[in-house]
Amino acid sequence: MVECIWEDKLQAIILGCGPSSGVPSIGRGWGACSPSNLKNYRTRTSLFFKTSKNSWLIDASPDLRFQCLTYDICSIDGVLCTHSHMDHVGGIGDLIGFSSFGPIPFYADSFACKELETMLPYACLGKSRFIQLCQILGLFYLSDIPVIAFLQKHGATHSLGYRFPTWAYSTDLTELSEESFEILKGIDTWILGCLSSKPNTKHAHLEQVLDWVKRVNPKRTILTHMNADLDYETLKKQLPYGIEPAFDGMSIFL
């Protein structure tokens, strides 16, 4: 268990920064990543953030149980879903442990809500449900925090990015619209998916991500959802100032 000290401001923990297969992965192993560096050990992508009053997740990865136990996460007030692929919702079953006082709000767009009703009816339908699906797109509020959910192209489908007052979270994307770039204007920190150094039909690659960062111009960019092509130390040395790779357990002040 890792002890985390929360101050009276918004902080976040990168619970997982790996791809759908994790690093190391079954069959492929460590790839180009050095197994001697613990920062190359990547569970599936998820983020935890907390204020003095509330705590939230972005996505519920298949590794959620391990992640929550590792970082001593004992309560969740809601979950923001980027999309319904299993590496982002496969841990929904573990959310039952947080639902003692009723179903947990689970924020997703209409498409993801319909998918989850089909995939996991026991979790979100009927009297025994332990998550409450909440359809969102555009501006909504988490307690008193304004959030904008915006569309991102993800191969042949889409995902949601989230813009908060000073930061944004974007993963599993291949394109951003002009409207989305407009929403991202003025952020200080951008947590951004970057699967590999090579082009991919469903995920952004390094060159593409660097172009986006130049356009949005945040003060700090943290790359997540990285596969085994991207060794932590090698990538860190290659990246321009203000851009860095994530690692599991990375703590961020936002």
Side-chain angles (χ1 to χ4, degrees):
M1 184 181 294
V2 177
E3 183 179 1
C4 300
I5 300 173
W6 303 102
E7 298 183 357
D8 194 21
K9 63 169 73 174
L10 196 152
Q11 297 184 48
I13 296 177
I14 302 280
L15 298 181
C17 63
S20 59
S21 57
V23 179
S25 64
I26 296 172
R28 189 178 180 189
W30 290 95
C33 291
S34 168
S36 63
N37 187 346
L38 289 178
K39 290 180 179 178
N40 282 323
Y41 181 85
R42 298 168 184 152
T43 57
R44 270 66 71 91
T45 299
S46 186
L47 180 87
F48 174 75
F49 64 98
K50 181 175 181 178
T51 65
S52 60
K53 297 178 181 178
N54 302 102
S55 54
W56 312 90
L57 282 175
I58 301 182
D59 289 333
S61 89
D63 299 309
L64 183 61
R65 174 184 171 274
F66 169 80
Q67 293 165 344
C68 288
L69 291 173
T70 300
Y71 302 108
D72 196 23
I73 297 170
C74 301
S75 66
I76 293 293
D77 293 295
V79 182
L80 285 70
C81 178
T82 59
H83 61 307
S84 57
H85 288 174
M86 285 305 294
D87 55 320
H88 295 263
V89 300
I92 281 179
D94 293 325
L95 294 173
I96 195 170
F98 298 119
S99 64
S100 300
F101 299 103
I104 300 166
F106 196 92
Y107 298 90
D109 67 9
S110 59
F111 179 81
C113 286
K114 290 176 183 176
E115 289 274 293
L116 291 169
E117 286 176 351
T118 301
M119 294 162 54
L120 301 166
Y122 74 95
C124 55
L125 296 175
K127 293 181 179 179
S128 61
R129 71 184 187 278
F130 52 87
I131 63 171
Q132 177 67 52
L133 295 178
C134 306
Q135 289 188 23
I136 47 98
L137 188 62
L139 178 66
F140 67 105
Y141 286 84
L142 293 179
S143 186
D144 57 349
I145 302 172
V147 186
I148 301 173
F150 59 92
L151 292 173
Q152 307 172 140
K153 189 172 182 183
H154 178 24
T157 183
H158 71 271
S159 63
L160 290 183
Y162 291 100
R163 164 70 198 259
F164 300 84
T166 62
W167 62 287
Y169 188 90
S170 297
T171 189
D172 290 58
L173 70 163
T174 48
E175 291 182 27
L176 287 166
S177 67
E178 290 300 315
E179 182 182 359
S180 295
F181 276 117
E182 192 67 25
I183 290 168
L184 288 162
K185 274 187 177 179
I187 57 172
D188 292 331
T189 302
W190 195 8
I191 302 170
L192 177 58
C194 178
L195 183 70
S196 67
S197 58
K198 302 172 185 176
N200 185 280
T201 59
K202 297 179 181 179
H203 296 270
H205 64 286
L206 184 58
E207 183 179 356
Q208 187 177 22
V209 162
L210 294 179
D211 286 342
W212 290 344
V213 173
K214 283 182 182 178
R215 180 169 179 180
V216 174
N217 196 30
K219 295 177 182 177
R220 185 183 190 188
T221 302
I222 299 167
L223 304 184
T224 190
H225 207 287
M226 298 174 290
N227 74 8
D229 290 341
L230 299 175
D231 175 76
Y232 178 86
E233 287 296 339
T234 303
L235 179 59
K236 187 177 180 181
K237 291 174 183 177
Q238 293 173 345
L239 291 172
Y241 177 80
I243 308 176
E244 60 194 297
F247 56 89
D248 284 21
M250 183 180 194
S251 183
I252 310 162
F253 289 80
L254 297 166

